[in-house]
C-alpha cells in the first residue's frame, strides 16, 4: 500500500515548518545590518511601535502549559561547573517569589497572564528537572535543526538515567557549548524552540536549543555584554556573573521558555496570520530590557557598585533578561519598568 500524496504532504509539513522558521521583530546586531544605519541606532521602542493597531497577539486554540513546568537540561559539549550553576539558578529563580524586586519571578508574572481556552493561566511553578551530559559530542560539533532532535532522542532513550517524558509540563532545553555550531547560529538565530517529531524521537515534546556564543559570535548573541566591531562608539556592558557567553545565554533561555509555555506546539499564542513564522511574546520585545528600550538602546538598567549591569534579581544572582509582550496592555513589560 502506497501512502497518498495528501498524507505525505501532511507528514512533511512539520519538518518544513521547522526548517523555515526565521527570526522576527526585535533587535539584535545581526551581521546583515548596515553600519551606522538609522534603523540600527534609532529604531523606536516596541512599547510605542507595537501599539494595538499594529500588533494583534491572538490565541489560536492550541495548548499552553498550565500544569507545573519542569525544565530538563541536556548539556551538549564541555561545560564548566560554574557555567551550569549560573543557568540552574536562573531556572530556579523563575518561581522564587521571595527574591528581591525587580525579580525574575516578577518577569514571569507577565507570562502567567496568558491562558488556554478554559481560562486557565500559564503555571506559576517552573522548576529544574533532570539533567543529561553529552560531553563527548555524540552527534558531532556541527548540528542541524533535525540532528538536534536526534540528540534529544538519545537523551530520552538512554540505557542509563534517560530523561523523563512528561507530556503535560515537561520541557527539554538543549544547551550547546561554545565550540559547537548549530544551523543558522549567529547569522539568524541565537536559539529557537519547536517540538519533536514522533518519527525521530518517538514523542511530541516541546524543546528549545540555545547556544553559547562566546567563541563564535558574542557581539551578536551575547549583546550588550559584547559589541560587534561595526557598532563604533558603543562599549560592552559588564556582565552580572562574569561569563559573557553564559550571561548572554540567560536572556535567550528566558525568551525560549516563555514562548514554549505560551506556544509549545506553535498553535497557541502568536501574532500575525502565518504559523510558519509566528511572532511570539518574546520576539516582539527582543533587545528591550528596560523603560525606553528600542533599537540598539537596551532601556534603563540597573548597576551595582562594581559596575555590573542587570535588570532582575534571582535567588542569589542578578541577570539581564529581555522583556516580554503583555497582551493585556499591548506592549512590552518587565518588572524593572519605571512606570510600575
Amino acid at each position: 500500500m502506497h501512502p497518498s500524496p495528501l498524507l505525505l504532504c501532511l507528514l512533511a509539513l512539520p519538518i518544513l515548518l521547522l526548517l523555515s522558521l526565521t527570526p522576527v521583530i526585535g533587535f539584535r546586531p545581526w551581521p546583515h545590518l548596515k553600519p551606522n544605519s538609522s534603523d540600527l541606532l534609532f529604531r523606536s521602542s516596541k512599547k510605542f511601535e507595537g501599539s494595538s493597531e499594529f500588533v494583534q497577539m491572538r490565541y489560536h486554540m492550541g495548548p499552553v502549559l498550565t500544569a507545573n513546568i519542569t525544565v530538563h537540561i541536556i548539556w551538549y559539549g564541555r561545560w564548566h561547573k560554574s557555567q551550569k550553576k549560573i543557568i540552574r539558578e536562573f531556572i530556579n529563580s523563575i518561581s522564587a517569589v521571595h527574591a528581591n524586586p525587580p525579580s525574575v519571578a516578577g518577569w514571569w508574572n507577565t507570562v502567567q497572564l496568558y491562558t488556554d481556552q478554559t481560562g486557565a493561566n500559564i503555571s506559576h511553578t517552573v522548576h529544574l528537572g533532570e539533567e543529561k551530559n553529552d560531553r563527548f559530542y555524540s552527534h558531532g560539533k556541527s548540528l542541524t535543526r533535525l540532528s538536534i532532535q536526534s540528540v534529544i532522542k538519545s537523551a530520552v532513550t538512554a540505557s542509563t538515567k534517560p530523561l523523563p517524558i512528561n507530556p503535560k509540563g515537561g520541557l527539554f532545553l538543549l544547551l550547546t557549548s561554545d565550540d559547537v555550531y548549530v544551523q543558522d547560529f549567529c547569522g539568524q538565530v541565537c536559539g529557537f524552540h519547536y517540538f519533536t517529531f514522533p518519527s525521530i524521537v518517538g514523542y511530541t515534546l516541546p524543546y528549545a536549543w540555545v547556544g553559547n556564543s562566546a567563541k563564535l559570535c558574542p557581539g551578536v548573541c551575547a549583546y550588550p555584554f559584547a559589541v560587534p566591531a561595526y557598532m563604533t562608539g558603543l562599549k560592552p556592558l559588564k556582565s552580572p556573573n562574569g561569563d559573557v557567553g553564559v550571561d548572554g545565554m540567560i536572556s535567550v533561555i528566558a525568551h525560549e521558555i516563555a514562548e514554549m509555555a505560551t506556544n509549545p506546539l506553535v498553535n497557541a499564542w502568536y501574532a500575525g496570520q502565518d504559523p510558519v513564522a509566528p511572532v511570539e511574546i518574546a520576539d516582539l520585545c527582543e533587545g528591550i530590557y528596560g523603560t525606553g528600550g528600542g533599537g540598539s538602546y537596551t532601556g534603563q538598567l540597573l548597576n551595582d557598585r562594581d559596575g555590573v549591569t542587570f535588570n532582575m534579581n534571582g535567588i542569589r544572582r542578578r541577570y539581564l533578561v529581555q522583556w516580554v509582550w503583555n497582551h493585556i496592555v499591548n506592549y512590552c513589560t518587565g518588572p524593572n519598568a519605571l512606570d510600575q
Side-chain angles (χ1 to χ4, degrees):
M1 178 178 176
H2 296 284
S4 70
L6 176 59
L7 177 59
L8 290 174
C9 289
L10 290 174
L11 290 174
L13 182 58
I15 296 176
L16 293 174
L17 291 177
L18 171 64
L19 296 177
S20 62
L21 288 177
T22 54
V24 289
I25 317 293
F27 170 81
R28 272 196 187 277
W30 299 112
H32 65 270
L33 291 175
K34 295 179 180 179
N36 303 318
S37 73
S38 59
D39 180 65
L40 173 65
L41 296 176
F42 303 110
R43 193 165 169 186
S44 60
S45 168
K46 284 288 176 293
K47 182 167 180 177
F48 305 102
E49 184 177 290
S51 64
S52 58
E53 65 179 301
F54 296 117
V55 176
Q56 296 294 329
M57 181 64 64
R58 291 191 175 94
Y59 178 51
H60 298 265
M61 304 306 288
V64 301
L65 300 186
T66 57
N68 291 349
I69 298 169
T70 304
V71 181
H72 304 295
I73 299 180
I74 302 170
W75 303 98
Y76 193 87
R78 296 183 180 180
W79 291 87
H80 298 296
K81 290 181 180 179
S82 59
Q83 295 177 318
K84 290 182 175 181
K85 194 171 182 181
I86 294 169
I87 293 170
R88 287 181 186 130
E89 288 189 11
F90 171 73
I91 293 171
N92 284 327
S93 293
I94 294 175
S95 297
V97 295
H98 299 298
N100 293 330
S103 68
V104 176
W107 168 83
W108 187 255
N109 285 342
T110 300
V111 181
Q112 282 187 268
L113 294 173
Y114 290 85
T115 61
D116 65 9
Q117 55 190 308
T118 70
N121 291 85
I122 299 293
S123 176
H124 160 73
T125 304
V126 180
H127 59 85
L128 187 63
E130 301 296 319
E131 301 177 39
K132 196 75 176 172
N133 292 299
D134 194 336
R135 62 177 63 89
F136 297 114
Y137 311 89
S138 64
H139 290 72
K141 290 189 175 182
S142 182
L143 302 176
T144 66
R145 290 174 182 256
L146 289 178
S147 65
I148 279 176
Q149 298 209 14
S150 297
V151 175
I152 296 172
K153 178 184 179 180
S154 298
V156 300
T157 60
S159 56
T160 58
K161 297 183 179 179
L163 291 183
I165 294 167
N166 176 5
K168 288 188 177 180
L171 304 178
F172 293 87
L173 185 60
L174 174 60
L175 304 177
T176 50
S177 57
D178 60 11
D179 55 348
V180 176
Y181 175 75
V182 173
Q183 180 182 353
D184 298 325
F185 191 23
C186 297
Q188 295 183 37
V189 295
C190 300
F192 66 80
H193 78 95
Y194 207 60
F195 54 85
T196 60
F197 304 146
S199 59
I200 298 177
V201 180
Y203 307 90
T204 300
L205 305 168
Y207 75 92
W209 157 76
V210 179
N212 185 339
S213 66
K215 291 181 179 178
L216 296 173
C217 57
V220 175
C221 293
Y223 180 86
F225 302 128
V227 177
Y230 67 79
M231 293 180 70
T232 56
L234 283 180
K235 294 183 178 180
L237 303 179
K238 187 175 181 180
S239 67
N241 297 290
D243 189 310
V244 167
V246 174
D247 275 318
M249 289 179 73
I250 291 296
S251 189
V252 185
I253 290 170
H255 178 128
E256 302 304 340
I257 291 177
E259 292 185 344
M260 282 194 289
T262 54
N263 197 27
L265 301 181
V266 201
N267 61 358
W269 285 96
Y270 61 87
Q273 302 301 317
D274 187 2
V276 174
V279 182
E280 301 173 284
I281 73 166
D283 294 325
L284 288 163
C285 308
E286 187 170 15
I288 297 176
Y289 302 88
T291 300
S296 61
Y297 178 53
T298 58
Q300 296 195 42
L301 307 177
L302 303 170
N303 297 96
D304 69 9
R305 341 179 166 165
D306 299 321
V308 159
T309 301
F310 65 101
N311 67 343
M312 299 178 199
N313 293 298
I315 301 171
R316 287 174 291 272
R317 296 175 182 270
R318 292 167 170 172
Y319 300 100
L320 185 67
V321 179
Q322 69 152 91
W323 287 7
V324 290
W325 187 261
N326 182 325
H327 68 300
I328 305 298
V329 296
N330 230 35
Y331 54 75
C332 301
T333 59
N336 57 312
L338 297 180
D339 55 357
Q340 292 195 132

